[in-house]
């Protein structure tokens, strides 16, 4: 993993921690363009009462709003997300024509490609906490 | 196609026509619960400058907002959409646990299952009009 990838993933993890603190499923995402973060977001399914309010859809929406036709698409941008995208988000990533994708924890439903211990631990800890109070 | 399916699809088509009139890609969707429409929406990618603002995501969000925990999920509801859902929307339909799906025009990228002439003509007409002004 390159230095910039690591820096961006750490910012995405900050977003995931922020979600955790708000009792949202802790997934964070950022979109980077060259050395800059142009959008950051986290899962908002609980707050918005919307199963589709995943971190990736939130951050793609925010990036597009920020760019507003400044670039024709997000093809020169990279998406960093702390959890492997689901089918819906993978579709959105394709639609947004994002140049590249780096993800942290593997989604156990999918193939394991990259594994990021911190992202996994944060998710495990969230679901342990949730189960405790159920 | 049952009478109720046809009625709901006609309402979805009205949404698609509304999108067409606003120069949005003309796809409309409704969510039905028993005999009632609980949410209706159309593609808003142009207005929201968001490639993920497809009719299905809009209508699922609207239905969830309307239901607000009234039912645990949308599993007793049906989604009617004038165009075969893309990968992103198919993922969202699974996440929302929608009970059933009826779509109009086939997306030429996917397998052809159901074909609805009116929905196809509306889309063809939109893209013809768009090409004329490019």
């Amino acid at each position: 993993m390159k230095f910039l990838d690591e820096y961006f993933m750490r910012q995405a993890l900050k977003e995931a921690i922020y979600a955790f603190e708000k009792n949202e499923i802790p997934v964070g995402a950022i979109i980077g363009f060259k050395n800059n973060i142009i959008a950051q977001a986290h899962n908002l399914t609980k707050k918005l009462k919307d199963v589709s309010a995943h971190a990736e859809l939130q951050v793609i929406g925010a990036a597009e709003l920020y760019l507003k036709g400044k670039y024709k698409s997000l093809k020169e941008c990279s998406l960093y997300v702390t959890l492997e995208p689901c089918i819906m988000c993978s579709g959105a990533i394709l639609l947004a024509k994002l140049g590249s994708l780096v993800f942290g924890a593997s989604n156990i439903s999918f193939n394991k490609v990259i594994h990021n211990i911190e992202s996994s631990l944060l998710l495990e800890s969230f679901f342990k906490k949730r189960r405790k109070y159920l």
Side-chain angles (χ1 to χ4, degrees), chain A:
Chain A
M1 208 180 213
K2 289 179 293 180
F3 170 76
L4 199 61
D5 285 343
E6 217 169 290
Y7 168 72
F8 282 155
M9 185 55 88
R10 198 148 291 283
Q11 302 308 309
L13 199 58
K14 279 188 189 163
E15 280 289 327
I17 292 168
Y18 191 38
F20 183 89
E21 286 165 357
K22 297 197 291 174
N23 218 24
E24 293 279 2
I25 294 175
V27 182
I30 72 115
I31 289 183
F33 174 65
K34 294 182 181 166
N35 290 345
N36 305 308
I37 292 175
I38 61 163
Q40 54 195 87
H42 55 266
N43 188 292
L44 283 174
T45 48
K46 196 182 144 207
K47 186 180 175 192
L48 301 182
K49 295 184 199 303
D50 183 355
V51 288
S52 76
H54 286 188
E56 296 94 320
L57 284 193
Q58 301 302 309
V59 84
I60 289 172
E64 286 174 330
L65 213 62
Y66 170 80
L67 292 175
K68 262 189 229 154
K70 228 169 160 183
Y71 316 107
K72 287 222 166 174
S73 73
L74 298 174
K75 66 183 171 193
E76 289 179 69
C77 300
S78 301
L79 172 65
Y80 293 79
V81 56
T82 59
L83 176 68
E84 185 176 0
C86 71
I87 299 173
M88 173 187 72
C89 293
S90 303
I93 290 163
L94 289 172
L95 283 172
K97 300 190 174 70
L98 269 149
S100 68
L101 162 71
V102 179
F103 63 83
S106 289
N107 190 321
I108 47 163
S109 346
F110 304 134
N111 293 328
K112 294 194 174 186
V113 185
I114 298 176
H115 194 76
N116 179 296
I117 299 294
E118 278 171 287
S119 310
S120 301
L121 286 177
L122 190 67
L123 281 155
E124 267 172 37
S125 158
F126 175 80
F127 284 108
K128 259 187 204 154
K129 195 179 83 173
R130 175 181 269 188
R131 267 175 231 120
K132 208 171 144 185
Y133 293 106
L134 282 183

